[in-house]
């Protein structure tokens, strides 16, 4: 039996389509709708069910005599049909495993910033203790606190940095997926290549900037492009500082070890600043500022000359008085009378002068 049927608009019968579609119902000569699948969902049907009275065929319009309803229908089992189609269930988007850790990106960056800031302050506190130890003894409890803070924050800060790096890689993968999907394309780089290029030491000084540049597209926003370039340069500089701080720890003299403590504190403060720079970069790519607000777009336009003259032209006294009176609401006759009085005064002054 064919799976394509034509429902009748009058009697509701469904006729299987064997060849060419029919136009009229063989039972009641009603109009047949266009062919459709038998198991088509409600959203893809070209018809809908309408409830009518049981006697709608025998009852005439305007008739007051009710037609017989007929026997009461009986069913041997619970019927599975109905006039109300269930609403289509909304398709749930699959939860990606990387989306959860990518959503915690901002909080992890802030936690990393505070961890490295405290680690830097602990290193500089130890350096101050070394300076004081040149002339006097240091209490044991102060040395214990200094050693504990340096050890604790020296462990917490790298762990926070590693977790934050994983979160940023997850965000990069999700962002590239969204951008390339919007372009109707697929990300040309595999997921393992993105993870390896961002986490493998040495090569991760180059490839993250490449991945971010590809994320911007062919026509990038100047602000986003500048933010990526600044971040890329700072990322390479932070790698060089990490290498220098690691090599400095193998110094043999006491002064070199003390300088190494100071330099380690400096690198920790630079790492805290780099965490803030990273937060600014990713929010710039998302069209936001450092605080997370929507970034407003500014555009410089050429200003035109004012429509009205700012500085009035120099006019004679009578004309200026008339203009002032007109602005003050004085009538034209009063202005002329004032002009004649002023003229008479001028004439008397001239006679007296003669």
């Amino acid at each position: 039996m064919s799976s394509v049927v034509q429902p009748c608009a009058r009697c509701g019968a469904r006729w299987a389509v064997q060849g060419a579609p029919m136009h009229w119902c063989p039972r009641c000569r009603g109009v047949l709708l266009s062919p459709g699948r038998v198991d088509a969902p409600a959203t893809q049907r070209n018809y809908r069910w309408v409830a009518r009275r049981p006697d709608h065929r025998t009852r005439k319009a305007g008739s007051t005599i009710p037609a017989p309803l007929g026997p009461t229908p009986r069913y041997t089992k619970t019927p599975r049909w109905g006039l109300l189609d269930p609403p289509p269930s909304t398709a749930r988007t699959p939860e990606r495993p990387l989306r959860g850790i990518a959503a915690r990106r901002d909080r992890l960056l802030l936690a990393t910033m505070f961890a490295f800031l405290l680690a830097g302050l602990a290193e500089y506190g130890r350096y101050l203790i070394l300076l004081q130890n040149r002339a006097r003894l240091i209490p044991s409890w102060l040395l214990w606190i200094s050693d504990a803070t340096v050890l604790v924050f020296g462990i917490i800060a790298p762990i926070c940095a590693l977790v934050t790096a994983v979160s940023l890689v997850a965000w990069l993968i999700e962002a590239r997926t969204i951008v390339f999907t919007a372009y109707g394309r697929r990300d040309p780089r595999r997921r393992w290549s993105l993870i390896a290029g961002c986490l493998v030491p040495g090569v991760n000084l180059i490839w993250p900037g490449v991945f971010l540049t590809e994320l911007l597209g062919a026509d990038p926003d100047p602000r986003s492009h500048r933010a990526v370039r600044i971040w890329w340069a700072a990322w390479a500089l932070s790698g060089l500082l990490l290498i220098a701080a690691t090599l400095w720890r193998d110094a043999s003299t006491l002064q070199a070890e003390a300088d190494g403590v100071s330099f380690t504190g400096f690198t920790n403060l630079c790492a805290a600043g780099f965490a803030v720079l990273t937060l600014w970069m990713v929010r710039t790519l998302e069209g936001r500022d450092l605080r997370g607000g929507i970034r407003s777009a500014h555009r410089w336009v050429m200003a035109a000359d004012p429509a009205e003259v700012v500085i009035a032209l120099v006019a004679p006294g009578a004309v200026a008085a008339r203009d002032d009176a007109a602005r003050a609401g004085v009538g034209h006759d009063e202005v002329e009378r004032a002009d004649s009085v002023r003229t008479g005064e001028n004439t008397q002054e001239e006679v007296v002068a003669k």
Side-chain angles (χ1 to χ4, degrees), residues 197-210 231-240 243:
C198 293
L199 297 182
V200 175
V203 297
N204 60 354
L205 296 179
I206 301 175
W207 284 108
V210 177
W231 180 89
W232 197 354
W235 171 243
L237 180 61
S238 64
L240 297 178
I243 295 174

Side-chain angles (χ1 to χ4, degrees), residues 106-175:
D106 296 348
R107 286 176 289 180
L108 289 175
L109 281 171
L110 292 177
T112 303
M113 184 267 295
F114 282 112
F116 275 105
L117 181 61
L118 294 176
L121 294 179
E123 292 288 347
Y124 276 112
R126 169 175 284 187
Y127 187 75
L128 293 177
I129 291 176
L130 293 176
L131 292 179
Q132 290 292 111
N133 195 25
R134 293 185 305 175
R136 65 184 67 180
L137 295 177
I138 303 300
S140 59
W141 60 268
L142 185 58
L143 291 176
W144 184 85
I145 293 177
S146 177
D147 294 339
T149 53
V150 169
L151 179 62
V152 170
F153 292 113
I155 296 176
I156 292 178
I159 293 177
C160 291
L162 181 60
V163 177
T164 305
V166 175
S167 175
L168 289 173
V169 173
W171 166 80
L172 178 63
I173 295 175
E174 289 291 322

Side-chain angles (χ1 to χ4, degrees), residues 253-336:
T253 63
L254 294 178
Q255 184 61 42
E257 291 180 0
D259 295 339
V261 172
S262 177
F263 188 73
T264 303
F266 173 73
T267 55
N268 289 333
L269 296 182
C270 289
F274 180 75
V276 178
L277 180 65
T278 305
L279 180 62
W280 168 74
M281 185 270 298
V282 295
R283 286 185 173 178
T284 302
L285 295 184
E286 295 176 349
R288 298 184 295 167
D289 55 9
L290 182 58
R291 296 183 178 180
I294 302 300
R295 187 180 62 196
S296 59
H298 298 281
R299 183 180 62 176
W300 296 99
V301 296
M302 184 179 296
D305 296 335
E308 298 180 356
V309 180
V310 179
I311 302 177
L313 300 176
V314 179
V319 178
R322 187 180 297 108
D323 294 341
D324 295 341
R327 295 191 187 95
V330 182
H332 180 70
D333 297 337
E334 297 180 0
V335 174
E336 293 294 340

Side-chain angles (χ1 to χ4, degrees), residues 48-87:
R48 63 186 180 91
W49 293 108
V50 179
R52 296 179 179 177
R53 294 182 56 172
D55 58 342
H56 71 279
R57 293 189 181 92
T58 58
R59 186 171 55 90
K60 297 181 180 180
S63 175
T64 58
I65 301 176
L69 298 179
T72 303
R74 298 178 180 275
Y75 303 96
T76 58
K77 59 182 180 179
T78 304
R80 300 297 182 183
W81 52 266
L83 298 178
L84 180 62
D85 293 323

